[in-house]
Amino acid sequence: YASNVMRMENSYFFTQSIKQRGPDATDLFQKQITGASAICKQSTDAYLGWMIKREFKAMHSLFSNISRIRKDVGDADVPIHVPRAQFVRTLQKESSREIMKEKIGVVYARMEKHLSESGGLLPVAWKALVKVLYEWFGRWEKLSTSCYKFILEPSAIDVVRIAKAASGVAMAPSNRKGVSESRAKNQSASIEI
């Protein structure tokens, strides 16, 4: 993931730096801006996929398995290979509203740690993550409904709302200061030990 973060930040910084110099510089470096934007998008997609797979490991594994089985045998036979009881048990354990809030909060905190404040990439990357969460959870909702007639809760729209709330609370200036201060205290405490 570290290489993706570096490519994301560097290409984003390059693009923003050139664009800030005005339309003449933007026109002159259009080919480089296009290339940097493509690198940024590719690295962002890889990083966000890694983040979701890491935090939602059980759900990703379950739905990847179901998707693979579905391609091989069709919707009707999926419950034979992944029993409904196992499916429901995994979802109950991994996808309650409170667990989602916690996991999405952890993802935000991790992104905040990985991305530099000065780069300005966190809000852009978070917006992209919310979009990817919506796509993945929407796909998982469809699989759940078509293979098991089970309604995934929280829904993809609810997951987006949870993510937006997580970023809204975390990005509030007063809370941001508290997070920075607590990080500084934690760093100084670890240095003293």
Side-chain angles (χ1 to χ4, degrees):
Y1 77 92
S3 62
N4 287 322
V5 170
M6 285 191 299
R7 281 194 295 267
M8 277 170 39
E9 286 196 325
N10 289 338
S11 57
Y12 183 77
F13 177 79
F14 172 78
T15 302
Q16 295 306 310
S17 295
I18 298 297
K19 287 181 178 180
Q20 287 176 354
R21 294 178 183 219
D24 292 338
T26 303
D27 292 341
L28 183 63
F29 291 101
Q30 189 58 49
K31 184 177 179 181
Q32 289 82 1
I33 290 172
T34 303
S37 295
I39 290 169
C40 186
K41 180 171 178 11
Q42 179 185 19
S43 299
T44 302
D45 290 346
Y47 174 69
L48 297 178
W50 174 80
M51 290 288 276
I52 292 172
K53 288 174 189 174
R54 178 184 169 132
E55 201 56 44
F56 300 97
K57 188 175 188 172
M59 288 183 68
H60 179 266
S61 176
L62 174 70
F63 283 105
S64 293
N65 191 26
I66 290 170
S67 183
R68 183 183 47 76
I69 292 168
R70 183 179 182 216
K71 286 178 187 172
D72 293 344
V73 297
D75 287 358
D77 290 341
V78 169
I80 294 169
H81 298 279
V82 179
R84 182 180 172 90
Q86 176 188 350
F87 177 78
V88 171
R89 187 174 46 249
T90 301
L91 291 181
Q92 286 174 342
K93 182 180 172 191
E94 297 292 327
S95 74
S96 74
R97 196 171 286 278
E98 292 306 313
I99 290 172
M100 285 295 155
K101 285 180 183 177
E102 180 183 320
K103 287 184 177 203
I104 290 172
V106 167
V107 169
Y108 186 83
R110 189 174 293 124
M111 285 179 76
E112 196 173 38
K113 185 175 101 178
H114 292 165
L115 303 174
S116 68
E117 282 186 46
S118 61
L121 187 58
L122 180 61
V124 175
W126 185 255
K127 186 176 179 180
L129 178 82
V130 170
K131 181 181 175 194
V132 172
L133 281 172
Y134 178 73
E135 291 169 358
W136 285 35
F137 275 85
R139 201 173 320 127
W140 293 348
E141 259 183 323
K142 288 178 184 173
L143 280 173
S144 176
T145 304
S146 68
C147 296
Y148 293 96
K149 310 291 186 259
F150 186 85
I151 297 173
L152 193 60
E153 195 57 43
S155 68
I157 293 171
D158 292 335
V159 170
V160 168
R161 288 183 186 130
I162 291 168
K164 285 183 177 180
S167 69
V169 170
M171 293 174 97
S174 61
N175 192 25
R176 190 129 171 92
K177 183 180 177 191
V179 169
S180 298
E181 289 172 356
S182 67
R183 273 195 194 150
K185 287 178 186 176
N186 289 342
Q187 288 174 348
S188 65
S190 64
I191 292 170
E192 292 171 2
I193 294 173

